[in-house]
Amino acid sequence: MDSVPQMSRAAVLNEFGEASRLHVTEVLTPVLKREDEMLVRIHATSINPLEWKMRQGMGLPPLVWRRLLGQPMILGFDFSGTVARVGRDIQGFQVGDEVMGAMPLHGTYAQYVLVRPSDGRTAVVRKPKGISHEQAALVPFAGLVAYSGLVKYGRLQTPSPQARILVVGASGGVGHLAVQMARRGLGAACVVGVCSSRNADFVRGCGAHEVISYDRTPPEAIVSSHPDWAGRFDLIFDTIGVEAYWTEVAPKLLAPNGQFVTAALPPSRPGRPGEDVSPLGVPPLLLKLVRRHRSGRYHLIPGLLGGLPSHSGLPVIARWMEEGKVSAHPAAAFDLEQIAEAHQASEGGRTVGKLSVRVA
Ligand SMILES: NC(=O)c1ccc[n+]([C@@H]2O[C@H](COP(=O)([O-])OP(=O)(O)OC[C@H]3O[C@@H](n4cnc5c(N)ncnc54)[C@H](OP(=O)(O)O)[C@@H]3O)[C@@H](O)[C@H]2O)c1
């Protein structure tokens, strides 16, 4: 059995706020507390915007985040690494296996993490053959959000050769995986990606049949510029939270049974994209969400609340990766020591694909 050091490195968050609050330091290496746990030596992780939003204390009092994150507070959802220890009740994995996965709220900005495969929020599978740890760690969380947007909340079948899908934010972490899954995984008949004109070629390369550049064709103009699209879309998947896709585009483009799925909360102020939750904004936001929910076709992905198909989705995604149908685009790579820079890069909001973090 390989030796596991008593102390190992992790990026610890001491206080909520700026990226500079993240400190890479020595922590006690976690030890198995249950027989259904395994310890994974992490080789790579990646950045998801929800992680820096948590670092800022997104929408909740710090006390709540502290309880959710435990001590020391270590952020990070994604991991790719090697199994270092297994409990007696672990089935299907053994020491030395190379695995990838995602666990919201579990702290993968670290050399070691405890993984409980039977937990409903934990997604873990063998790392697909021929895929590096850096590449593998880019996919699990964003990939599960993309997959759930299409299949679980978007209600598409695998495959869906007749489907017509519009993906908003098609160049981002979730969006570029959703476009690939829609086209190459589900085999959809028509995948339209919405992105800025500078990313149009990238989104076409991900498999979009057509691209709408939002800086040239705003949401309100999509229907008039494509009259043949009226009432013909099975799914609009908004990964940004731009109000007009629900208020203006969905009523015109969606087929009678078409679904609208969003990864980001609707904005609480006009003209802003989603997820700017302030305490004052909570009651009107809840009212808005209830009204939308009652339409029967509006779905907000509750990724932090255990709403991802962790057990059923990641094996499908891993197979698509192994078949070369889905791969994450590495926008930039950082070392764990540069985690604050990686957060700042993500906060810029212009990431094309995903940001990778190597954990030596
Ligand atoms: N509900 C959940 O469980 C859940 C899970 C995962 C993610 N999320 C949220 O979903 C959002 C997307 O996540 P992500 O990882 O995909 O983020 P990301 O990678 O940081 O998204 C960046 C991309 O968004 C594009 N973009 C920005 N404004 C846009 C607009 N108005 N229209 C179209 N594209 C636009 C940017 O392209 P340009 O530079 O070309 O504009 C960039 O490529 C985040 O807010 C995240 O917090 C929620």
Side-chain angles (χ1 to χ4, degrees):
M1 195 184 281
D2 284 346
S3 67
V4 173
Q6 213 182 0
M7 302 293 287
S8 50
R9 296 186 73 68
V12 173
L13 182 68
N14 294 323
E15 286 298 332
F16 295 91
E18 300 298 309
S20 57
R21 302 286 174 101
L22 291 162
H23 293 285
V24 178
T25 182
E26 296 270 307
V27 296
L28 278 172
T29 303
V31 291
L32 298 188
K33 290 189 265 334
R34 303 165 48 128
E35 296 298 344
D36 59 353
E37 286 178 337
M38 59 190 192
L39 183 70
V40 172
R41 165 76 166 93
I42 297 179
H43 302 303
T45 178
S46 69
I47 305 292
N48 296 286
L50 281 174
E51 294 157 0
W52 55 258
K53 292 174 187 180
M54 286 163 66
R55 191 205 74 225
Q56 294 173 344
M58 172 181 77
L60 289 177
L63 200 68
V64 178
W65 284 121
R66 282 184 191 284
R67 287 208 62 140
L68 289 172
L69 289 165
Q71 281 298 331
M73 288 199 293
I74 303 172
L75 300 171
F77 302 166
D78 289 311
F79 63 91
S80 183
T82 309
V83 176
R85 292 272 186 276
V86 289
R88 271 194 291 271
D89 297 343
I90 288 286
Q91 289 172 358
F93 297 102
Q94 56 190 27
V95 171
D97 281 350
E98 300 203 304
V99 292
M100 69 170 193
M103 298 182 300
L105 303 173
H106 268 64
T108 60
Y109 296 170
Q111 286 183 308
Y112 288 90
V113 72
L114 287 175
V115 176
R116 185 143 56 94
S118 59
D119 181 81
R121 294 182 192 198
T122 297
V124 56
V125 294
R126 300 270 177 102
K127 181 169 73 64
K129 291 189 191 76
I131 307 284
S132 69
H133 284 293
E134 284 79 8
Q135 175 62 223
L138 298 175
V139 176
F141 186 72
L144 277 167
V145 175
Y147 179 85
S148 72
L150 297 169
V151 175
K152 180 174 177 182
Y153 301 100
R155 301 183 185 170
L156 296 174
Q157 304 292 317
T158 43
S160 273
Q162 312 295 330
R164 300 172 68 84
I165 304 162
L166 181 101
V167 178
V168 182
S171 53
V174 175
H176 88 299
L177 293 171
V179 169
Q180 294 177 54
M181 289 178 191
R183 175 75 189 265
R184 301 177 189 141
L186 306 186
C190 173
V191 180
V192 178
V194 179
C195 60
S196 66
S197 43
R198 76 188 173 105
N199 292 326
D201 287 344
F202 170 74
V203 169
R204 275 191 205 97
C206 290
H209 296 90
E210 290 218 36
V211 166
I212 299 284
S213 298
Y214 67 80
D215 43 347
R216 295 187 182 150
T217 309
E220 299 78 5
I222 292 179
V223 185
S224 52
S225 59
H226 295 84
D228 53 319
W229 286 359
R232 298 197 56 207
F233 278 75
D234 302 289
L235 172 63
I236 295 175
F237 185 7
D238 177 8
T239 70
I240 304 296
V242 178
E243 189 74 343
Y245 289 100
W246 169 250
T247 55
E248 302 279 336
V249 181
K252 292 169 188 150
L253 287 198
L254 283 181
N257 289 326
Q259 303 296 314
F260 184 94
V261 178
T262 182
L265 284 169
S268 50
R269 277 172 283 173
R272 291 174 63 97
E275 278 190 356
D276 68 319
V277 203
S278 64
L280 274 182
V282 169
L285 179 66
L286 286 178
L287 192 65
K288 209 183 243 186
L289 285 172
V290 168
R291 281 211 192 104
R292 287 171 188 205
H293 184 70
R294 287 172 67 174
S295 74
R297 53 163 59 184
Y298 181 91
H299 314 274
L300 171 67
I301 300 175
L304 278 185
L305 304 176
L308 299 179
S310 300
H311 292 180
S312 59
L314 197 57
V316 179
I317 296 169
R319 176 165 52 78
W320 286 342
M321 289 168 73
E322 207 159 284
E323 293 169 354
K325 292 178 175 168
V326 169
S327 67
H329 174 71
F334 299 84
D335 291 321
L336 186 62
E337 272 62 24
Q338 300 169 299
I339 193 77
E341 287 165 53
H343 267 216
Q344 283 161 347
S346 178
E347 283 174 63
R350 306 268 79 96
T351 305
V352 177
K354 289 261 319 184
L355 299 167
S356 163
V357 180
R358 291 176 293 251
V359 183

